[in-house]
Amino acid sequence: MAKNQDTYFNTVITPDSFAKGIGLRELWQKKYLIWLFIKRDITVQYKQTIFGMGWYFISPLFTMFMYIVVFGKIAGIEPDAGIPQPVFYLSGICLWEYFSTCLTDVAGTFQKNANLFGKVYFPRLVSPVSIVVSRLFRFSLQLFTFIAVYIIYVVQGVNLHPTWYLLLFPVVLLTMQGLALGLGLIISSLTTKYRDLVNFFGVFVSLWMYATPIVYPLSYVSNPTLHKIMLFNPMTSLIETFKYGAYGAGEFSWLSLAYSIGFTLVLLFIGIAMYNRKQKFFIDTI
């Protein structure tokens, strides 16, 4: 009769790492999918259009002229002293259009990709991340428009001097991307169950723009209480940082910039957590 032998187990079960738990490791492993989604998004945006990529130049210029007429001429809102209206408006339009486009498109991730998500598995974060990256193509063209107008005024002798704070532009851009991605993921997760939030969200984004110093300088808000309230808007310091770096006008604060970065990091973590949790039940609730 065989002797009883003790059985020893050498398999150790450990919790997932932070990166694996929120899907970052899997996302990195499937980075080639992000590139495929980026190519698809860029192609679809200007395929079968009359002006093609020309729309990316026409859109900010048309918006700029509208703002000059409505806010500059009719409302009488003047930019910071010495700053030409086209330069002032374009600096805000380029950043806000990129942010709002990323935010709106990421918020519709589940709705727009329902058929794809239901047929094949891949890291669901690929879709929203690719949206944020692919929109950089459009943003770069619009930023080129701003730079061209900026140079025209410099050649004409207008006193425009970029400051070293312009070196913070990558920080501003990354923070905008994180803010759009984090909030967009939260909205996308909620709209799988409450679809009417899509209508409310569109209105919210429009109102958010007017709560951000895009069509008026922050110095235009003379009420101290209202001025402080506007600083709680994380986009305020990002827009002002870019303007201060581009032509030395506006308000810059390290504390406000740090607040925007911290707010974005918290919102991004919450957004990814909600998105990853909701994707498990997405097909059942959509």
Side-chain angles (χ1 to χ4, degrees), residues 37-173:
F37 273 64
I38 291 172
K39 290 176 62 177
R40 181 201 67 176
D41 291 344
I42 292 177
T43 302
V44 169
Q45 285 179 25
Y46 66 86
K47 187 178 181 180
Q48 295 180 331
T49 59
I50 298 177
F51 295 102
M53 290 183 293
W55 286 113
Y56 299 157
F57 300 99
I58 296 174
S59 176
L61 290 175
F62 180 79
T63 305
M64 177 197 72
F65 285 119
M66 183 183 68
Y67 285 176
I68 291 175
V69 173
V70 176
F71 298 102
K73 303 300 182 182
I74 299 177
I77 299 176
E78 294 292 335
D80 295 299
I83 306 302
Q85 289 184 342
V87 174
F88 173 79
Y89 288 124
L90 275 177
S91 62
I93 289 170
C94 293
L95 268 66
W96 181 260
E97 282 201 3
Y98 173 67
F99 170 74
S100 61
T101 301
C102 289
L103 178 57
T104 303
D105 291 345
V106 171
T109 299
F110 276 140
Q111 301 289 340
K112 295 178 181 178
N113 296 280
N115 293 331
L116 181 61
F117 286 177
K119 293 178 180 178
V120 62
Y121 174 77
F122 59 90
R124 303 309 189 206
L125 279 174
V126 165
S127 181
V129 170
S130 65
I131 288 173
V132 173
V133 178
S134 65
R135 299 305 182 267
L136 278 173
F137 178 72
R138 175 179 179 177
F139 173 67
S140 62
L141 297 179
Q142 294 182 337
L143 191 62
F144 175 80
T145 304
F146 166 72
I147 295 173
V149 173
Y150 188 98
I151 293 176
I152 290 174
Y153 277 97
V154 171
V155 171
Q156 292 178 350
V158 178
N159 189 21
L160 292 173
H161 297 291
T163 68
W164 72 269
Y165 290 96
L166 193 58
L167 296 176
L168 293 173
F169 177 70
V171 177
V172 171
L173 183 60

Side-chain angles (χ1 to χ4, degrees), residues 224-266:
T225 303
L226 186 57
H227 190 279
K228 292 180 180 179
I229 292 176
M230 287 193 63
L231 292 178
F232 283 101
N233 175 3
M235 280 298 295
T236 296
S237 64
L238 300 180
I239 297 295
E240 288 297 301
T241 298
F242 176 70
K243 290 180 177 180
Y244 196 79
Y247 41 74
E251 299 183 20
F252 173 79
S253 169
W254 286 106
L255 181 61
S256 297
L257 183 60
Y259 161 76
S260 295
I261 296 173
F263 184 91
T264 297
L265 291 175
V266 173

